[in-house]
Amino acid sequence: MTISTNQIELIPPYCPNPQCLAHLGSQERFFVKNGWITTDKKPFRNQRFKCTKCKTQFSSNTFTIDFRKKSAGISERVLHYSLNGMSNNSVARLLKVSEGTVRDRLKDLARQSILFENENLPRKINENVAYDGFETFTHSQFSPCYVNTAVGSTSMFIYYNTFSPLNRKGRMTDEQKKKNQVLIRKNGIYPQDSVFSETLYIMKKLSEIAPGKTLYTDKHKAYRRAYRSFESSMPLKTISSKARRDASNPLFPINRLHNLYRHFFSSQHRETISFQKHEAALMEKLQLMKIYRNFMNPKFVKKNSFDLHAHEWSPAMYVGVATKILSFEEIFGVRKLKTQFRLDQKDKDFIERFYPYSRQKIAS
């Protein structure tokens, strides 16, 4: 539901009381104007309303992304700066706010984006899908992790991102081995089948909404084991990870996306000091990139001789869930509440920032 700022001031889209009949919106007028309230931030004067069904009072500011925020009007810039290579501290210095303010805005935007996506994900996929993982770490290199990703082969629409913790592997110095053992004794080891379980979850989801379409992966053992563990409606084709990673490679959409992560996220640059401090921060950043790439940008920046619309259409337009490239206002202009949606457990955990195997304290 897209509503301009002026319309929000005049027509509340829903009642904010979860127990009210108008909480999900109403075709009939469910409110009356109830005076004005002045504030010390823009727009400085907000229209107040009262719900005629439950008598709850609210203002036009209730439905904006800046509701109860001290620094108004910075959320769009925070999103664009953060997803174009700037660290949180750099964004904070540029906007003259605290780094905590930037973190708070990214968290709220990620929660709003998961609710927007709940309404606008395609219910059926009419293209082949590429699937692979993006390996990185949170907090320290003793907490590596795997982001399991499914991307449309033609549209390059990002369908799924899920998180898998990993145990540290590879060569370590004697000091690193000692530290790793101390962490294991203190926190235990991460689940050793996390990549398998998350892959199984995504493959089952894809099998329901993309029957008959081909699923491309590399030859990771967990992928093949997950595929064999249930009766899938999608044929599986595996590609060697050593194959040339150009546009003719069926895994090109995944390889390109992972390159974009490395390019646009300061936290994913090689030898960076801007790494994500916990799992929630990483997944929120990836969720925002998901919305940003799917709905707010064209598939490619430049013209493409093999796809005449690539520089004009967003991935969401290719899969039929949008008719144009959407602006920030069209996605985040109306504040949504989680009580308005029927969310699955993964979405609820995302909103609550619940990561059961995290070794860090994650503020809600």
Side-chain angles (χ1 to χ4, degrees):
M1 182 177 185
T2 303
I3 298 179
S4 69
T5 305
N6 291 333
Q7 286 176 308
I8 292 173
E9 293 174 357
L10 298 175
I11 308 174
Y14 59 85
C15 175
N17 177 11
Q19 308 302 320
C20 181
L21 296 174
H23 184 59
L24 301 180
S26 176
Q27 295 297 320
E28 59 185 60
R29 190 180 178 91
F30 64 90
F31 62 89
V32 293
K33 291 184 177 180
N34 191 33
W36 296 84
I37 184 171
T38 57
T39 64
D40 57 357
K41 60 185 179 183
K42 291 183 180 180
F44 304 112
R45 194 163 180 259
N46 293 318
Q47 176 73 61
R48 286 194 61 78
F49 303 93
K50 178 188 281 190
C51 178
T52 56
K53 298 183 183 296
C54 67
K55 310 306 179 187
T56 297
Q57 298 187 47
F58 48 90
S59 71
S60 56
N61 192 47
T62 302
F63 307 103
T64 69
I65 196 70
D66 290 325
F67 180 58
R68 291 180 176 170
K69 296 289 189 294
K70 184 176 180 181
S71 301
I74 67 169
S75 295
E76 183 173 3
R77 285 178 290 170
V78 167
L79 177 69
H80 287 292
Y81 294 157
S82 181
L83 296 185
N84 282 279
M86 292 182 67
S87 67
N88 288 359
N89 273 312
S90 298
V91 176
R93 285 193 295 271
L94 183 64
L95 298 180
K96 295 181 172 59
V97 296
S98 72
E99 191 268 340
T101 297
V102 174
R103 274 189 283 117
D104 181 64
R105 295 308 168 88
L106 290 173
K107 177 181 69 177
D108 286 350
L109 288 169
R111 288 172 171 172
Q112 288 296 303
S113 74
I114 204 82
L115 299 179
F116 172 84
E117 185 179 81
N118 195 269
E119 285 184 307
N120 294 281
L121 267 182
R123 305 305 173 192
K124 187 175 181 181
I125 297 176
N126 294 310
E127 62 178 337
N128 298 329
V129 179
Y131 175 82
D132 200 1
F134 177 72
E135 192 164 336
T136 181
F137 69 91
T138 60
H139 185 68
S140 80
Q141 292 184 353
F142 293 94
S143 297
C145 59
Y146 208 72
V147 179
N148 310 279
T149 311
V151 182
S153 295
T154 303
S155 68
M156 296 195 179
F157 189 93
I158 308 168
Y159 290 107
Y160 294 104
N161 278 332
T162 64
F163 178 85
S164 295
L166 299 176
N167 294 293
R168 181 155 184 179
K169 57 189 177 183
R171 189 163 49 188
M172 290 183 278
T173 65
D174 290 339
E175 278 302 311
Q176 289 172 332
K177 288 177 182 177
K178 289 178 184 177
K179 183 174 181 180
N180 195 42
Q181 288 303 313
V182 169
L183 290 172
I184 289 174
R185 284 195 297 270
K186 180 181 178 181
N187 304 295
I189 64 172
Y190 292 118
Q192 295 182 320
D193 64 344
S194 60
V195 174
F196 164 78
S197 59
E198 293 300 326
T199 299
L200 181 59
Y201 168 81
I202 291 178
M203 284 186 174
K204 284 183 175 180
K205 287 281 190 181
L206 290 172
S207 187
E208 292 172 3
I209 60 179
K213 301 302 178 182
T214 302
L215 179 64
Y216 293 101
T217 73
D218 64 17
K219 296 184 177 181
H220 196 298
K221 291 181 180 178
Y223 302 165
R224 289 181 285 180
R225 187 160 65 95
Y227 183 81
R228 290 194 301 265
S229 66
F230 77 107
E231 189 174 340
S232 176
S233 65
M234 300 178 72
L236 176 70
K237 290 189 177 180
T238 57
I239 311 296
S240 171
S241 57
K242 296 180 181 179
R244 183 180 176 87
R245 299 188 178 190
D246 58 13
S248 64
N249 189 324
L251 294 179
F252 172 72
I254 285 282
N255 296 331
R256 177 177 180 269
L257 177 63
H258 292 173
N259 284 336
L260 291 176
Y261 288 164
R262 296 288 183 200
H263 180 71
F264 285 113
F265 287 168
S266 61
S267 60
Q268 302 307 322
H269 295 169
R270 301 294 184 183
E271 302 301 327
T272 183
I273 61 172
S274 180
F275 51 86
Q276 302 295 350
K277 304 308 183 283
H278 49 68
E279 295 84 349
L282 171 66
M283 294 310 294
E284 286 164 1
K285 203 77 172 284
L286 293 177
Q287 173 61 28
L288 288 173
M289 177 62 89
K290 189 178 176 187
I291 290 294
Y292 195 69
R293 300 301 310 179
N294 283 350
F295 292 91
M296 301 176 70
N297 282 274
K299 178 179 170 182
F300 294 130
V301 174
K302 297 180 180 180
K303 292 183 179 180
N304 188 296
S305 58
F306 298 101
D307 188 342
L308 300 180
H309 298 292
H311 66 294
E312 300 173 325
W313 288 15
S314 67
M317 295 170 69
Y318 280 90
V319 299
V321 292
T323 57
K324 63 175 183 174
I325 294 176
L326 302 183
S327 66
F328 179 88
E329 185 69 22
E330 288 170 318
I331 295 176
F332 299 102
V334 177
R335 176 172 161 264
K336 303 171 183 67
L337 304 178
K338 63 182 180 181
T339 49
Q340 295 176 294
F341 298 87
R342 184 175 295 174
L343 303 173
D344 67 16
Q345 192 57 49
K346 282 196 179 293
D347 288 343
K348 291 177 182 177
D349 290 345
F350 178 91
I351 290 173
E352 299 299 326
R353 309 183 106 191
F354 177 67
Y355 295 86
Y357 299 104
S358 178
R359 293 176 177 175
Q360 315 307 320
K361 184 177 180 180
I362 304 176
S364 58

